[in-house]
């Protein structure tokens, strides 16, 4: 590890928080050299808030007040991120669209995980839409966040086969299991200064990625997440 201190990350959630927990466990186990400064939920009812506290993490709820609008919400969120010293913002099932200005502030320092093989199936209900379209494969993508929804440069993907008889739930469960492997891995690459965004190019170990890292085809990724 070359950096003088552990990377401080904030994780933003809206729901269950299983990806947040996977990253937290990887940090606690020393597999990822990062410190979770704060978990922030935009819904008081998010189950992930309870889970975060069970994991010993500081969890805060910032709800968008009715009528107050996005600007007030984002101002509160920005204060919280600055207050906890977050150097990397990790969206993990965070279902709110952030403004272009907000995203720009964290250019190259904000990640998202999206349950599809981007650029296919941006947006909501990806598992259902994949099943309805009769696709034979599906997956998940970790990407840098830009102001284009689900459109930022993709860092890493994992693929699953769609099986005969799959329901949304069975398909989601297999995708989620892979998310829990690849998301901590990508955070670890950033925490050790191996991965960064230069312009629109993802750079790993000083070289531009010509295609996303692919689980399980990438050997290092496979080993690191075994
Ligand atoms: C994950 O599958 C994530 O990919 C998806 O929400 C789920 C959150 O699960 N994110 C999106 O759909 C963002 N557009 P979790 O709360 O258990 O981590």
């Amino acid at each position: 590890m070359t950096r003088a201190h552990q990377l401080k990350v904030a994780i933003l959630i809206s729901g269950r928080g299983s990806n947040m927990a996977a990253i937290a466990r990887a940090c606690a186990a020393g597999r990822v050299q990062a410190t979770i400064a704060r978990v922030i939920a935009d819904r008081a009812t998010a189950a992930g808030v309870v889970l975060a506290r069970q994991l010993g993490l500081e969890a805060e709820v910032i709800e968008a007040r009715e009528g107050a609008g996005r600007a007030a919400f984002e101002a509160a969120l920005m204060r919280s991120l600055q207050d906890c010293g977050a150097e990397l913002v990790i969206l993990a099932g965070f279902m709110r669209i952030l403004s272009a200005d907000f995203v720009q502030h964290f250019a190259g320092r904000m990640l998202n995980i999206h349950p599809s093989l981007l650029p296919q199936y941006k947006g909501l209900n990806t598992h259902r839409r994949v099943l309805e379209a009769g696709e034979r494969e599906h997956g998940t993508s970790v990407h840098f966040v830009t102001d284009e929804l689900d459109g930022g440069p993709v860092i890493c993907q994992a693929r699953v086969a769609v099986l005969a008889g799959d329901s949304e739930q069975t398909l989601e469960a297999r995708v989620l299991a892979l998310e829990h492997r690849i998301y901590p891995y990508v955070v670890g690459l950033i925490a050790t200064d191996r991965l960064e965004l230069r312009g629109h190019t993802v750079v790993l170990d000083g070289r531009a990625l010509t295609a996303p890292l692919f689980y399980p085809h990438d050997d290092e990724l496979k080993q690191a997440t075994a």
Side-chain angles (χ1 to χ4, degrees):
M1 197 175 84
T2 52
R3 53 173 52 243
H5 71 281
Q6 289 220 336
L7 184 76
K8 281 190 178 182
V9 307
I11 306 183
L12 274 50
I13 62 169
S14 296
R16 174 177 55 190
S18 71
N19 278 288
M20 173 275 299
I23 294 165
R25 291 191 176 110
C27 292
R31 279 184 285 121
V32 170
Q33 307 294 320
T35 301
I36 298 175
R38 191 168 289 175
V39 173
I40 303 170
D42 67 338
R43 294 172 199 175
T45 51
V49 172
V50 177
L51 182 55
R53 290 181 181 144
Q54 283 170 351
L55 290 166
L57 303 173
E58 184 189 327
E60 183 185 8
V61 175
I62 301 176
E63 287 193 296
R65 294 228 189 86
E66 232 172 279
R70 181 157 83 174
F73 170 80
E74 289 190 352
L77 182 57
M78 184 67 84
R79 274 196 302 277
S80 179
L81 291 170
Q82 285 171 346
D83 171 61
C84 72
E87 298 163 287
L88 177 71
V89 178
I90 299 174
L91 309 185
F94 185 69
M95 303 309 278
R96 185 174 292 276
I97 296 171
L98 295 164
S99 69
D101 280 352
F102 194 94
V103 166
Q104 185 56 36
H105 183 89
F106 290 100
R109 297 187 293 131
M110 189 184 285
L111 299 177
N112 184 41
I113 191 158
H114 180 76
S116 78
L117 293 170
L118 289 172
Q120 297 175 68
Y121 297 98
K122 297 176 179 178
L124 297 174
N125 303 316
T126 58
H127 309 301
R128 186 187 315 161
R129 286 158 55 213
V130 161
L131 286 173
E132 283 169 358
E135 301 282 4
R136 302 177 75 162
E137 63 173 29
H138 182 35
T140 185
S141 308
V142 176
H143 65 95
F144 282 108
V145 177
T146 63
D147 57 8
E148 192 194 334
L149 184 67
D150 301 327
V154 177
I155 303 163
C156 182
Q157 296 185 311
R159 201 189 329 243
V160 300
V162 178
L163 305 177
D166 254 338
S167 64
E168 265 185 76
Q169 289 71 27
T170 57
L171 189 54
E172 185 199 7
R174 289 204 308 284
V175 169
L176 203 60
L178 293 178
E179 293 191 332
H180 297 167
R181 289 170 180 251
I182 69 171
Y183 215 178
Y185 176 71
V186 171
V187 175
L189 290 178
I190 294 178
T192 49
D193 294 326
R194 293 184 55 196
L195 183 90
E196 63 177 328
L197 184 66
R198 287 189 203 153
H200 260 70
T201 305
V202 179
V203 175
L204 175 65
D205 296 332
R207 282 202 217 138
L209 273 193
T210 50
L213 301 171
F214 229 111
Y215 179 88
H217 303 298
D218 184 275
D219 282 344
E220 181 188 324
L221 170 54
K222 196 174 174 184
Q223 265 179 11
T225 57

